[in-house]
Amino acid sequence: MTSTSRIEELLTRFIAHDRIALARLITMVENRADGVGVIMERVYPMAGRAVVIGITGAPGAGKSTLVNRLIAHLRQRGQRVAVLAIDPSSPFSGGAVLGDRVRMTDHYRDDAVYIRSVSSRGSHGGLSRAAREIVHVLDAFGHDVVIIETVGVGQTELGVMDLADTTVVVTVPEGGDGVQAMKAGLNEIADVFVVNKADRAGADRIKAELELEVHLRNSAGWHPPVIMTEATADRGVDALLEAIDRHAEYLAETRDPARLAERRVHEFVDIVTAEIERRTARALGDGAAPELLDRIRTGELNPYRAARELMEHPGTLVRVLATPAHTPVPGDARQQERS
Ligand SMILES: Nc1nc2c(ncn2[C@@H]2O[C@H](COP(=O)(O)OP(=O)(O)OP(=O)(O)O)[C@@H](O)[C@H]2O)c(=O)[nH]1
Ligand SMILES: [Mg+2]
């Protein structure tokens, strides 16, 4: 168990811009270590400033190459950039972590660039939550832009794109990828389309296809632009950033406080649900409600009946839930709400 003083020390270093503390906190979030709730309680009020850009698309579409270019352009503007690369560990794309590292090494020595890979395997469906918390941490650290790169193959990976203010879907000319993107439902989440590898034959056709698709979609609101890029040659990256900026302006203009409020509630419900699950599993494992467990063990109570009894017996339930899943940090939990 991570002690309160250790968490305090890490947070103090985090606030002082210590990148090692940043890395440790992210690892704790990734591993769902004890004390993550306390950490997030402290980190959340410091977050809320960063623009979150999601980059998704087929394996090998050139996402990382593009991200590497985007970093360079954002750095020219003086912005601090963090990248969260979700390693899909899917059969489609082995070794993505190494690939990402290699393709983003241009910024290795830059203090204002932070690149982190997390695995989508092993997070047991908790990827969306871990990713959201890591984005909060990267945001709170003072990054102006947080880029999330993920392969648009699985539901889990796609779910992560909910975190993005602007979602960029990267397609490529070959293999009828435009059609594939549509099938994968990627087009529904796209705020900006990129046709990368524009140096290859068929790029114009894909662009036209995507533009038609956008045009046929309902006419109100934002129309995702289709940007041609050649990431390897740094072509089209300015246009892509412009499109992202325009989308950010659109979001600011059409900002709906009710949606923002719902998003907060949704996050709260997620946290509570996960926390209840975690506490219940741990407390029951640690010997809370032993009489109930004994009756289940002997077969006297079937698990369904037992679950209902637990729910309907407030005393037992409260005892189970009150078992702390972490040591609380004294003082300082509230600070100002993020606006
Ligand atoms: N011809 C051409 N090749 C490109 C372009 N952009 C990227 N590539 C190449 O495409 C390959 C895959 O690039 P990545 O940036 O790793 O693609 P990715 O989408 O991040 O791949 P995963 O993360 O594994 O899904 C590399 O060999 C790149 O050099 C481009 O504009 N034109
Ligand atoms: Mg990649």
Side-chain angles (χ1 to χ4, degrees):
M1 173 169 279
T2 312
S3 72
T4 302
S5 59
R6 170 117 180 79
I7 290 173
E8 266 315 309
E9 190 228 315
L10 270 178
L11 282 167
T12 306
R13 285 167 50 200
F14 175 83
I15 292 163
H17 284 282
D18 178 340
R19 286 158 67 94
I20 293 167
L22 169 64
R24 294 242 164 95
L25 289 183
I26 293 175
T27 302
M28 289 178 73
V29 168
E30 202 184 352
N31 298 338
R32 303 247 54 85
D34 288 318
V36 166
V38 176
I39 290 167
M40 291 315 299
E41 223 172 287
R42 296 281 297 276
V43 162
Y44 187 89
M46 297 182 240
R49 278 186 44 254
V51 172
V52 182
I53 302 172
I55 310 269
T56 188
K63 300 179 293 295
S64 299
T65 313
L66 207 52
V67 169
N68 191 44
R69 297 295 185 193
L70 282 173
I71 297 171
H73 287 243
L74 291 164
R75 289 298 299 131
Q76 271 166 25
R77 298 174 171 185
Q79 292 186 291
R80 306 172 62 86
V81 189
V83 178
L84 175 62
I86 314 280
D87 160 25
S89 46
S90 80
F92 294 102
S93 179
V97 176
L98 183 62
D100 288 337
R101 297 236 170 99
V102 168
R103 274 182 264 292
M104 295 181 200
T105 41
D106 293 5
H107 310 285
Y108 217 85
R109 288 161 196 282
D110 187 343
D111 252 9
V113 176
Y114 186 84
I115 297 169
R116 175 74 175 226
S117 290
V118 301
S119 171
S120 58
R121 183 176 46 197
S123 48
H124 304 293
L127 176 68
S128 293
R129 186 177 180 216
R132 177 166 55 205
E133 290 175 351
I134 293 170
V135 168
H136 286 329
V137 171
L138 292 169
D139 180 344
F141 194 72
H143 293 105
D144 302 298
V145 180
V146 178
I147 301 175
I148 311 172
E149 180 194 328
T150 177
V151 171
V153 285
Q155 227 21 72
T156 337
E157 281 88 8
L158 274 184
V160 172
M161 286 294 116
D162 281 349
L163 304 171
D165 298 310
T166 299
T167 299
V168 178
V169 171
V170 183
T171 64
V172 287
E174 62 264 14
D177 194 78
V179 179
Q180 263 182 317
M182 290 168 205
K183 275 191 195 140
L186 280 178
N187 64 329
E188 276 156 43
I189 61 166
D191 299 308
V192 176
F193 281 107
V194 164
V195 180
N196 189 42
K197 308 197 184 181
D199 50 313
R200 298 203 174 161
D204 289 322
R205 192 176 52 77
I206 297 292
K207 183 173 193 276
E209 255 178 55
L210 288 169
E211 276 170 348
L212 180 65
E213 159 76 18
V214 169
H215 180 75
L216 293 176
R217 222 186 293 170
N218 78 50
S219 52
W222 173 255
H223 288 252
V226 183
I227 312 292
M228 298 260 246
T229 62
E230 188 186 338
T232 37
D234 198 23
R235 291 213 179 92
V237 181
D238 272 327
L240 172 57
L241 261 187
E242 249 169 59
I244 292 169
D245 287 345
R246 259 188 292 128
H247 185 248
E249 281 163 29
Y250 168 82
L251 287 181
E253 281 160 17
T254 56
R255 198 176 133 97
D256 179 1
R259 246 190 85 187
L260 201 68
E262 268 331 289
R263 214 170 153 165
R264 288 194 186 124
V265 170
H266 182 75
E267 183 164 2
F268 164 71
V269 171
D270 267 5
I271 295 164
V272 170
T273 311
E275 194 61 22
I276 287 176
E277 183 178 332
R278 173 183 152 92
R279 286 188 185 211
T280 311
R282 169 177 295 200
L284 292 176
D286 282 356
E291 41 329 292
L292 191 71
L293 290 193
D294 274 343
R295 286 164 67 208
I296 296 168
R297 279 195 193 95
T298 60
E300 182 194 333
L301 256 188
N302 83 55
Y304 289 91
R305 174 92 188 250
R308 188 162 57 81
E309 278 195 16
L310 181 66
M311 297 301 162
E312 290 171 1
H313 198 293
T316 316
L317 192 59
V318 165
R319 188 150 43 81
V320 166
L321 291 179
T323 308
H326 57 69
T327 320
V329 175
D332 198 330
R334 316 122 273 141
Q335 305 178 354
Q336 76 284 24
E337 253 298 285
R338 82 190 221 181
S339 53

